[in-house]
């Protein structure tokens, strides 16, 4: 699974990190950092995070 985030359109609200904290996190500067190649066991949470992102910045390749 490959996870991409377009930081040009990410608005750093952090919804993805609430849904999938093992994959997405805001750093101390409120910039999103994420695991681009998370374990398959996290697939449902990653897809949920992509679905709740208000700017649709997250792309998931399964
Ligand atoms: S939910 Fe979307 S806009 Fe919000 S921090 Fe995550 S990637 Fe960025």
């Amino acid at each position: 699974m490959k996870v991409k985030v377009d930081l040009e359109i990410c608005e750093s609200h952090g919804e993805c990190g609430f849904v999938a904290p093992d994959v997405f996190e805001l750093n101390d500067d409120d910039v999103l950092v994420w695991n681009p190649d998370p374990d398959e066991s996290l697939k449902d949470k990653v897809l949920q995070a992509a679905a709740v992102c208000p700017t649709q910045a997250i792309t998931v390749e399964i």
Side-chain angles (χ1 to χ4, degrees):
M1 180 172 37
K2 302 294 180 203
V3 179
K4 296 178 185 171
V5 180
D6 185 344
L7 291 179
E8 296 288 322
I9 57 175
C10 169
E11 293 180 348
S12 297
H13 298 304
E15 286 90 336
C16 52
F18 287 119
V19 174
D22 294 335
V23 180
F24 302 96
E25 182 180 37
L26 291 175
N27 70 12
D28 290 342
D29 295 323
D30 271 352
V31 175
L32 187 70
V33 290
W34 72 98
N35 178 353
D37 188 17
D39 190 83
E40 286 296 315
S41 64
L42 295 167
K43 183 173 79 175
D44 287 352
K45 285 185 176 177
V46 169
L47 291 176
Q48 203 180 338
V52 300
C53 175
T55 64
Q56 299 183 335
I58 301 172
T59 306
V60 185
E61 289 177 22
I62 298 175

